[in-house]
Every structure is written in structure tokens, then in C-alpha cells.
mmCIF file of all heavy atoms in Angstrom:
data_model
loop_
_atom_site.group_PDB
_atom_site.id
_atom_site.type_symbol
_atom_site.label_atom_id
_atom_site.label_comp_id
_atom_site.label_asym_id
_atom_site.label_seq_id
_atom_site.Cartn_x
_atom_site.Cartn_y
_atom_site.Cartn_z
ATOM 1 N N GLN A 1 0.881 -1.253 0.019
ATOM 2 C CA GLN A 1 -0.006 -0.019 0.023
ATOM 3 C C GLN A 1 0.825 1.171 -0.024
ATOM 4 O O GLN A 1 0.606 2.287 0.616
ATOM 5 C CB GLN A 1 -0.947 -0.014 1.179
ATOM 6 C CG GLN A 1 -1.988 -1.266 1.202
ATOM 7 C CD GLN A 1 -2.852 -1.169 2.350
ATOM 8 O OE1 GLN A 1 -3.705 -0.293 2.362
ATOM 9 N NE2 GLN A 1 -2.810 -2.123 3.129
ATOM 10 N N ARG A 2 2.045 1.186 -0.675
ATOM 11 C CA ARG A 2 2.842 2.312 -0.865
ATOM 12 C C ARG A 2 3.072 2.702 -2.399
ATOM 13 O O ARG A 2 2.911 1.637 -3.199
ATOM 14 C CB ARG A 2 4.279 1.895 -0.297
ATOM 15 C CG ARG A 2 4.300 1.462 1.072
ATOM 16 C CD ARG A 2 4.528 2.716 2.016
ATOM 17 N NE ARG A 2 5.815 3.476 1.673
ATOM 18 C CZ ARG A 2 7.021 3.015 2.103
ATOM 19 N NH1 ARG A 2 7.127 1.914 2.824
ATOM 20 N NH2 ARG A 2 8.050 3.765 1.692
ATOM 21 N N ARG A 3 3.245 3.800 -2.792
ATOM 22 C CA ARG A 3 3.505 4.268 -4.113
ATOM 23 C C ARG A 3 5.043 4.392 -4.382
ATOM 24 O O ARG A 3 5.621 5.036 -3.553
ATOM 25 C CB ARG A 3 2.831 5.521 -4.369
ATOM 26 C CG ARG A 3 1.242 5.438 -4.382
ATOM 27 C CD ARG A 3 0.776 4.545 -5.516
ATOM 28 N NE ARG A 3 0.961 5.097 -6.736
ATOM 29 C CZ ARG A 3 0.628 4.575 -7.925
ATOM 30 N NH1 ARG A 3 0.110 3.309 -7.864
ATOM 31 N NH2 ARG A 3 0.850 5.135 -9.117
ATOM 32 N N ALA A 4 5.527 3.841 -5.448
ATOM 33 C CA ALA A 4 7.023 3.952 -5.705
ATOM 34 C C ALA A 4 7.293 5.366 -6.158
ATOM 35 O O ALA A 4 6.435 5.942 -6.931
ATOM 36 C CB ALA A 4 7.399 2.851 -6.663
ATOM 37 N N ILE A 5 8.433 5.875 -5.965
ATOM 38 C CA ILE A 5 8.976 6.975 -6.627
ATOM 39 C C ILE A 5 9.618 6.613 -7.833
ATOM 40 O O ILE A 5 10.663 5.847 -7.887
ATOM 41 C CB ILE A 5 9.881 7.755 -5.703
ATOM 42 C CG1 ILE A 5 9.239 8.259 -4.434
ATOM 43 C CG2 ILE A 5 10.610 8.909 -6.456
ATOM 44 C CD1 ILE A 5 10.310 8.678 -3.433
ATOM 45 N N ILE A 6 9.072 7.002 -8.998
ATOM 46 C CA ILE A 6 9.591 6.530 -10.350
ATOM 47 C C ILE A 6 10.652 7.531 -10.772
ATOM 48 O O ILE A 6 10.430 8.663 -10.824
ATOM 49 C CB ILE A 6 8.402 6.413 -11.286
ATOM 50 C CG1 ILE A 6 7.496 5.375 -10.970
ATOM 51 C CG2 ILE A 6 9.047 6.039 -12.697
ATOM 52 C CD1 ILE A 6 7.955 3.971 -10.680
ATOM 53 N N LEU A 7 11.907 6.982 -11.125
ATOM 54 C CA LEU A 7 12.905 7.811 -11.377
ATOM 55 C C LEU A 7 13.301 7.797 -12.895
ATOM 56 O O LEU A 7 13.775 8.807 -13.464
ATOM 57 C CB LEU A 7 14.207 7.292 -10.705
ATOM 58 C CG LEU A 7 14.137 7.414 -9.126
ATOM 59 C CD1 LEU A 7 15.195 6.572 -8.537
ATOM 60 C CD2 LEU A 7 14.049 8.822 -8.676
ATOM 61 N N GLY A 8 12.878 6.724 -13.693
ATOM 62 C CA GLY A 8 13.235 6.826 -15.087
ATOM 63 C C GLY A 8 12.107 7.394 -15.834
ATOM 64 O O GLY A 8 11.088 8.033 -15.310
ATOM 65 N N LYS A 9 12.041 7.180 -17.209
ATOM 66 C CA LYS A 9 10.831 7.631 -18.016
ATOM 67 C C LYS A 9 9.527 6.818 -17.359
ATOM 68 O O LYS A 9 9.775 5.648 -17.077
ATOM 69 C CB LYS A 9 11.067 7.255 -19.315
ATOM 70 C CG LYS A 9 12.115 8.067 -20.102
ATOM 71 C CD LYS A 9 12.409 7.625 -21.461
ATOM 72 C CE LYS A 9 13.057 6.138 -21.513
ATOM 73 N NZ LYS A 9 13.492 5.773 -22.905
ATOM 74 N N PRO A 10 8.431 7.470 -17.285
ATOM 75 C CA PRO A 10 7.977 8.741 -17.767
ATOM 76 C C PRO A 10 8.127 9.928 -16.727
ATOM 77 O O PRO A 10 7.413 10.977 -16.962
ATOM 78 C CB PRO A 10 6.536 8.641 -18.142
ATOM 79 C CG PRO A 10 5.981 7.664 -17.081
ATOM 80 C CD PRO A 10 7.201 6.678 -16.821
ATOM 81 N N ALA A 11 8.839 9.717 -15.659
ATOM 82 C CA ALA A 11 9.063 10.859 -14.794
ATOM 83 C C ALA A 11 9.543 12.209 -15.355
ATOM 84 O O ALA A 11 10.558 12.144 -16.081
ATOM 85 C CB ALA A 11 10.031 10.444 -13.589
ATOM 86 N N PRO A 12 8.780 13.205 -15.296
ATOM 87 C CA PRO A 12 9.141 14.416 -15.909
ATOM 88 C C PRO A 12 10.640 14.891 -15.707
ATOM 89 O O PRO A 12 11.335 15.371 -16.470
ATOM 90 C CB PRO A 12 8.322 15.537 -15.375
ATOM 91 C CG PRO A 12 6.937 14.662 -15.058
ATOM 92 C CD PRO A 12 7.504 13.502 -14.475
ATOM 93 N N GLU A 13 11.076 14.683 -14.422
ATOM 94 C CA GLU A 13 12.501 15.012 -13.920
ATOM 95 C C GLU A 13 13.474 14.304 -14.803
ATOM 96 O O GLU A 13 14.706 14.939 -14.984
ATOM 97 C CB GLU A 13 12.698 14.788 -12.561
ATOM 98 C CG GLU A 13 11.707 15.634 -11.567
ATOM 99 C CD GLU A 13 10.359 14.973 -11.509
ATOM 100 O OE1 GLU A 13 10.045 13.899 -11.903
ATOM 101 O OE2 GLU A 13 9.536 15.682 -10.933
ATOM 102 N N PHE A 14 13.261 13.121 -15.231
ATOM 103 C CA PHE A 14 14.228 12.324 -15.974
ATOM 104 C C PHE A 14 14.482 12.951 -17.351
ATOM 105 O O PHE A 14 15.653 13.300 -17.777
ATOM 106 C CB PHE A 14 13.734 10.920 -16.082
ATOM 107 C CG PHE A 14 14.786 10.018 -16.760
ATOM 108 C CD1 PHE A 14 15.844 9.625 -15.992
ATOM 109 C CD2 PHE A 14 14.660 9.413 -17.998
ATOM 110 C CE1 PHE A 14 16.828 8.791 -16.456
ATOM 111 C CE2 PHE A 14 15.570 8.613 -18.602
ATOM 112 C CZ PHE A 14 16.695 8.248 -17.756
ATOM 113 N N PHE A 15 13.288 13.271 -18.091
ATOM 114 C CA PHE A 15 13.527 14.101 -19.291
ATOM 115 C C PHE A 15 14.191 15.461 -19.120
ATOM 116 O O PHE A 15 15.067 15.929 -19.900
ATOM 117 C CB PHE A 15 12.191 14.298 -19.942
ATOM 118 C CG PHE A 15 11.495 13.050 -20.303
ATOM 119 C CD1 PHE A 15 10.435 12.618 -19.651
ATOM 120 C CD2 PHE A 15 11.688 12.357 -21.482
ATOM 121 C CE1 PHE A 15 9.693 11.448 -19.944
ATOM 122 C CE2 PHE A 15 11.047 11.242 -21.842
ATOM 123 C CZ PHE A 15 10.035 10.677 -21.005
ATOM 124 N N LEU A 16 13.748 16.227 -18.065
ATOM 125 C CA LEU A 16 14.236 17.549 -17.876
ATOM 126 C C LEU A 16 15.580 17.625 -17.450
ATOM 127 O O LEU A 16 16.441 18.615 -17.907
ATOM 128 C CB LEU A 16 13.358 18.316 -16.776
ATOM 129 C CG LEU A 16 11.865 18.359 -17.164
ATOM 130 C CD1 LEU A 16 11.158 19.089 -16.086
ATOM 131 C CD2 LEU A 16 11.734 19.033 -18.476
ATOM 132 N N SER A 17 16.280 16.602 -16.782
ATOM 133 C CA SER A 17 17.565 16.546 -16.334
ATOM 134 C C SER A 17 18.500 16.387 -17.640
ATOM 135 O O SER A 17 19.521 16.892 -17.780
ATOM 136 C CB SER A 17 17.903 15.491 -15.339
ATOM 137 O OG SER A 17 17.631 14.190 -15.927
ATOM 138 N N ALA A 18 17.942 15.546 -18.554
ATOM 139 C CA ALA A 18 18.706 15.416 -19.876
ATOM 140 C C ALA A 18 18.758 16.691 -20.658
ATOM 141 O O ALA A 18 19.757 17.035 -21.279
ATOM 142 C CB ALA A 18 18.123 14.251 -20.654
ATOM 143 N N LEU A 19 17.568 17.452 -20.660
ATOM 144 C CA LEU A 19 17.552 18.667 -21.419
ATOM 145 C C LEU A 19 18.386 19.744 -20.720
ATOM 146 O O LEU A 19 19.093 20.505 -21.376
ATOM 147 C CB LEU A 19 16.035 19.222 -21.432
ATOM 148 C CG LEU A 19 15.046 18.340 -22.213
ATOM 149 C CD1 LEU A 19 13.707 19.109 -22.309
ATOM 150 C CD2 LEU A 19 15.551 18.102 -23.760
ATOM 151 N N ALA A 20 18.342 19.796 -19.396
ATOM 152 C CA ALA A 20 19.202 20.707 -18.660
ATOM 153 C C ALA A 20 20.792 20.573 -18.930
ATOM 154 O O ALA A 20 21.497 21.506 -19.053
ATOM 155 C CB ALA A 20 19.008 20.645 -17.150
ATOM 156 N N SER A 21 21.169 19.287 -19.267
ATOM 157 C CA SER A 21 22.568 19.001 -19.606
ATOM 158 C C SER A 21 22.978 19.640 -20.791
ATOM 159 O O SER A 21 24.197 19.741 -21.007
ATOM 160 C CB SER A 21 22.800 17.517 -19.591
ATOM 161 O OG SER A 21 22.371 16.910 -20.798
ATOM 162 N N MET A 22 22.092 19.912 -21.683
ATOM 163 C CA MET A 22 22.489 20.513 -22.984
ATOM 164 C C MET A 22 21.736 21.960 -23.144
ATOM 165 O O MET A 22 21.826 22.484 -24.127
ATOM 166 C CB MET A 22 22.097 19.761 -24.100
ATOM 167 C CG MET A 22 20.777 19.183 -24.143
ATOM 168 S SD MET A 22 20.593 17.949 -25.661
ATOM 169 C CE MET A 22 18.904 17.452 -25.335
ATOM 170 N N ASN A 23 21.368 22.406 -21.924
ATOM 171 C CA ASN A 23 20.788 23.826 -22.061
ATOM 172 C C ASN A 23 19.741 24.034 -22.979
ATOM 173 O O ASN A 23 19.723 24.980 -23.755
ATOM 174 C CB ASN A 23 21.790 24.962 -22.087
ATOM 175 C CG ASN A 23 21.258 26.260 -21.658
ATOM 176 O OD1 ASN A 23 20.440 26.423 -20.850
ATOM 177 N ND2 ASN A 23 21.847 27.378 -22.234
ATOM 178 N N CYS A 24 18.927 23.035 -23.113
ATOM 179 C CA CYS A 24 17.814 22.931 -24.221
ATOM 180 C C CYS A 24 16.474 23.171 -23.593
ATOM 181 O O CYS A 24 16.016 22.311 -22.774
ATOM 182 C CB CYS A 24 17.748 21.681 -24.943
ATOM 183 S SG CYS A 24 16.634 21.514 -26.245
ATOM 184 N N PRO A 25 15.644 24.308 -23.897
ATOM 185 C CA PRO A 25 14.422 24.371 -23.318
ATOM 186 C C PRO A 25 13.495 23.402 -23.892
ATOM 187 O O PRO A 25 13.518 22.772 -24.990
ATOM 188 C CB PRO A 25 14.002 25.917 -23.810
ATOM 189 C CG PRO A 25 14.807 26.030 -24.948
ATOM 190 C CD PRO A 25 16.182 25.271 -24.821
ATOM 191 N N LYS A 26 12.264 23.144 -23.144
ATOM 192 C CA LYS A 26 11.252 22.138 -23.549
ATOM 193 C C LYS A 26 10.699 22.300 -24.957
ATOM 194 O O LYS A 26 10.534 21.488 -25.609
ATOM 195 C CB LYS A 26 10.269 21.972 -22.434
ATOM 196 C CG LYS A 26 10.838 21.481 -21.177
ATOM 197 C CD LYS A 26 9.571 21.357 -20.155
ATOM 198 C CE LYS A 26 9.214 22.755 -19.717
ATOM 199 N NZ LYS A 26 8.117 22.568 -18.523
ATOM 200 N N ALA A 27 10.487 23.717 -25.098
ATOM 201 C CA ALA A 27 9.827 24.086 -26.366
ATOM 202 C C ALA A 27 10.710 23.767 -27.682
ATOM 203 O O ALA A 27 10.218 23.646 -28.702
ATOM 204 C CB ALA A 27 9.591 25.552 -26.513
ATOM 205 N N LYS A 28 12.083 23.464 -27.462
ATOM 206 C CA LYS A 28 12.833 23.165 -28.595
ATOM 207 C C LYS A 28 13.390 21.747 -28.586
ATOM 208 O O LYS A 28 14.447 21.358 -29.198
ATOM 209 C CB LYS A 28 14.098 24.163 -28.495
ATOM 210 C CG LYS A 28 13.803 25.600 -28.705
ATOM 211 C CD LYS A 28 14.908 26.453 -28.823
ATOM 212 C CE LYS A 28 14.589 27.995 -29.092
ATOM 213 N NZ LYS A 28 15.740 28.848 -29.177
ATOM 214 N N ALA A 29 12.767 20.955 -27.925
ATOM 215 C CA ALA A 29 13.208 19.448 -27.694
ATOM 216 C C ALA A 29 12.225 18.534 -28.332
ATOM 217 O O ALA A 29 10.970 18.689 -28.507
ATOM 218 C CB ALA A 29 13.323 19.186 -26.261
ATOM 219 N N VAL A 30 12.654 17.314 -28.702
ATOM 220 C CA VAL A 30 11.987 16.219 -29.305
ATOM 221 C C VAL A 30 12.495 14.950 -28.827
ATOM 222 O O VAL A 30 13.696 14.815 -28.620
ATOM 223 C CB VAL A 30 12.024 16.227 -30.883
ATOM 224 C CG1 VAL A 30 13.479 16.144 -31.439
ATOM 225 C CG2 VAL A 30 11.206 15.123 -31.506
ATOM 226 N N MET A 31 11.473 14.098 -28.498
ATOM 227 C CA MET A 31 11.941 12.747 -27.964
ATOM 228 C C MET A 31 11.649 11.742 -29.139
ATOM 229 O O MET A 31 10.590 11.871 -29.781
ATOM 230 C CB MET A 31 11.026 12.422 -26.745
ATOM 231 C CG MET A 31 11.184 10.986 -26.205
ATOM 232 S SD MET A 31 12.759 10.635 -25.359
ATOM 233 C CE MET A 31 12.891 8.817 -25.669
ATOM 234 N N VAL A 32 12.494 10.757 -29.253
ATOM 235 C CA VAL A 32 12.229 9.526 -30.180
ATOM 236 C C VAL A 32 12.318 8.313 -29.459
ATOM 237 O O VAL A 32 13.349 8.010 -28.759
ATOM 238 C CB VAL A 32 13.284 9.579 -31.307
ATOM 239 C CG1 VAL A 32 13.028 8.429 -32.231
ATOM 240 C CG2 VAL A 32 13.341 10.885 -32.068
ATOM 241 N N GLY A 33 11.166 7.501 -29.535
ATOM 242 C CA GLY A 33 11.019 6.276 -28.682
ATOM 243 C C GLY A 33 10.112 5.206 -29.368
ATOM 244 O O GLY A 33 9.401 5.551 -30.340
ATOM 245 N N ASP A 34 10.291 4.040 -28.854
ATOM 246 C CA ASP A 34 9.427 2.949 -29.446
ATOM 247 C C ASP A 34 8.307 2.538 -28.452
ATOM 248 O O ASP A 34 7.551 1.790 -28.736
ATOM 249 C CB ASP A 34 10.241 1.666 -29.748
ATOM 250 C CG ASP A 34 10.900 1.097 -28.404
ATOM 251 O OD1 ASP A 34 11.215 1.786 -27.441
ATOM 252 O OD2 ASP A 34 10.890 -0.152 -28.356
ATOM 253 N N ASP A 35 8.290 3.206 -27.316
ATOM 254 C CA ASP A 35 7.241 2.968 -26.296
ATOM 255 C C ASP A 35 6.306 4.199 -26.252
ATOM 256 O O ASP A 35 6.669 5.195 -25.772
ATOM 257 C CB ASP A 35 7.948 2.752 -24.931
ATOM 258 C CG ASP A 35 6.957 2.386 -23.877
ATOM 259 O OD1 ASP A 35 5.745 2.866 -23.848
ATOM 260 O OD2 ASP A 35 7.350 1.454 -22.996
ATOM 261 N N ALA A 36 5.047 3.954 -26.704
ATOM 262 C CA ALA A 36 4.213 5.161 -26.829
ATOM 263 C C ALA A 36 3.757 5.622 -25.454
ATOM 264 O O ALA A 36 3.361 6.791 -25.354
ATOM 265 C CB ALA A 36 2.945 4.644 -27.600
ATOM 266 N N GLU A 37 3.801 4.854 -24.463
ATOM 267 C CA GLU A 37 3.418 5.251 -23.055
ATOM 268 C C GLU A 37 4.594 5.858 -22.312
ATOM 269 O O GLU A 37 4.446 7.162 -21.957
ATOM 270 C CB GLU A 37 2.994 4.127 -22.268
ATOM 271 C CG GLU A 37 2.500 4.443 -20.982
ATOM 272 C CD GLU A 37 1.905 3.154 -20.167
ATOM 273 O OE1 GLU A 37 2.240 2.078 -20.566
ATOM 274 O OE2 GLU A 37 1.309 3.412 -19.112
ATOM 275 N N THR A 38 5.666 5.350 -22.151
ATOM 276 C CA THR A 38 6.754 6.019 -21.291
ATOM 277 C C THR A 38 7.563 7.019 -22.070
ATOM 278 O O THR A 38 7.983 7.984 -21.590
ATOM 279 C CB THR A 38 7.669 4.849 -20.702
ATOM 280 O OG1 THR A 38 8.294 4.157 -21.711
ATOM 281 C CG2 THR A 38 6.816 4.006 -19.811
ATOM 282 N N ASP A 39 7.939 6.587 -23.364
ATOM 283 C CA ASP A 39 8.779 7.514 -24.129
ATOM 284 C C ASP A 39 7.997 8.712 -24.715
ATOM 285 O O ASP A 39 8.420 9.821 -24.506
ATOM 286 C CB ASP A 39 9.361 6.781 -25.225
ATOM 287 C CG ASP A 39 10.317 5.729 -24.998
ATOM 288 O OD1 ASP A 39 10.870 5.742 -23.860
ATOM 289 O OD2 ASP A 39 10.602 4.796 -25.868
ATOM 290 N N VAL A 40 6.850 8.417 -25.388
ATOM 291 C CA VAL A 40 6.299 9.589 -26.122
ATOM 292 C C VAL A 40 5.265 10.224 -25.220
ATOM 293 O O VAL A 40 5.397 11.505 -25.098
ATOM 294 C CB VAL A 40 5.522 8.807 -27.347
ATOM 295 C CG1 VAL A 40 4.656 10.006 -28.039
ATOM 296 C CG2 VAL A 40 6.519 8.284 -28.462
ATOM 297 N N ALA A 41 4.260 9.518 -24.742
ATOM 298 C CA ALA A 41 3.385 10.276 -23.902
ATOM 299 C C ALA A 41 4.041 10.902 -22.771
ATOM 300 O O ALA A 41 3.699 12.106 -22.302
ATOM 301 C CB ALA A 41 2.242 9.406 -23.400
ATOM 302 N N GLY A 42 5.079 10.277 -22.116
ATOM 303 C CA GLY A 42 5.749 10.865 -20.944
ATOM 304 C C GLY A 42 6.428 12.025 -21.308
ATOM 305 O O GLY A 42 6.484 12.984 -20.560
ATOM 306 N N ALA A 43 7.123 12.068 -22.426
ATOM 307 C CA ALA A 43 7.832 13.264 -22.833
ATOM 308 C C ALA A 43 6.843 14.417 -23.074
ATOM 309 O O ALA A 43 7.103 15.539 -22.673
ATOM 310 C CB ALA A 43 8.499 12.977 -24.172
ATOM 311 N N LEU A 44 5.795 14.192 -23.741
ATOM 312 C CA LEU A 44 4.799 15.240 -24.027
ATOM 313 C C LEU A 44 4.198 15.753 -22.713
ATOM 314 O O LEU A 44 4.064 16.942 -22.482
ATOM 315 C CB LEU A 44 3.752 14.793 -25.040
ATOM 316 C CG LEU A 44 4.182 14.448 -26.421
ATOM 317 C CD1 LEU A 44 3.162 13.820 -27.284
ATOM 318 C CD2 LEU A 44 4.830 15.747 -27.089
ATOM 319 N N ARG A 45 3.889 14.828 -21.756
ATOM 320 C CA ARG A 45 3.373 15.322 -20.516
ATOM 321 C C ARG A 45 4.537 16.080 -19.677
ATOM 322 O O ARG A 45 4.119 16.993 -18.849
ATOM 323 C CB ARG A 45 2.979 14.147 -19.627
ATOM 324 C CG ARG A 45 1.537 13.619 -20.054
ATOM 325 C CD ARG A 45 1.040 12.655 -18.995
ATOM 326 N NE ARG A 45 1.881 11.504 -18.732
ATOM 327 C CZ ARG A 45 1.801 10.380 -19.387
ATOM 328 N NH1 ARG A 45 0.838 10.112 -20.268
ATOM 329 N NH2 ARG A 45 2.579 9.361 -19.038
ATOM 330 N N ALA A 46 5.764 15.897 -19.900
ATOM 331 C CA ALA A 46 6.780 16.527 -19.253
ATOM 332 C C ALA A 46 6.940 17.925 -20.012
ATOM 333 O O ALA A 46 7.765 18.760 -19.334
ATOM 334 C CB ALA A 46 8.065 15.790 -19.419
ATOM 335 N N GLY A 47 6.237 18.184 -20.974
ATOM 336 C CA GLY A 47 6.406 19.458 -21.665
ATOM 337 C C GLY A 47 7.218 19.705 -22.917
ATOM 338 O O GLY A 47 7.356 20.668 -23.449
#
């Protein structure tokens, strides 16, 4: 009856830390993945 803290995709912080490492704003970023849930929907929900 506990919720896990998710650290990889689709956690927004995971995408954003990668973007921060290249000083890329969300509005200028694109994600490419084969998983429509964690890669694609996750990235879009992260902004």
C-alpha cells in the first residue's frame, strides 16, 4: 500500500535533467522512442 517514486521515464524530472545538461528548453526538444506510453506520452506530459 505504498507508491513507488519513479525515477526513469516517464518521470518528468528524468527528461528535464537530460535537457538541462544541454541547456535545451522544452519548447525546442523532441523525444524519439518505441514505447508510446513511457517515451512518447511521458515526454509530451513533461512539456
Side-chain angles (χ1 to χ4, degrees):
Q1 300 182 63
R2 302 270 303 280
R3 296 291 293 177
I5 299 168
I6 301 299
L7 296 170
K9 296 172 292 184
E13 295 78 10
F14 191 70
F15 296 103
L16 299 181
S17 63
L19 294 183
S21 75
M22 51 184 177
N23 197 28
C24 177
K26 293 181 289 186
K28 295 184 178 182
V30 58
M31 173 72 205
V32 180
D34 67 324
D35 189 319
E37 183 177 17
T38 59
D39 293 338
V40 172
L44 293 172
R45 283 196 297 269

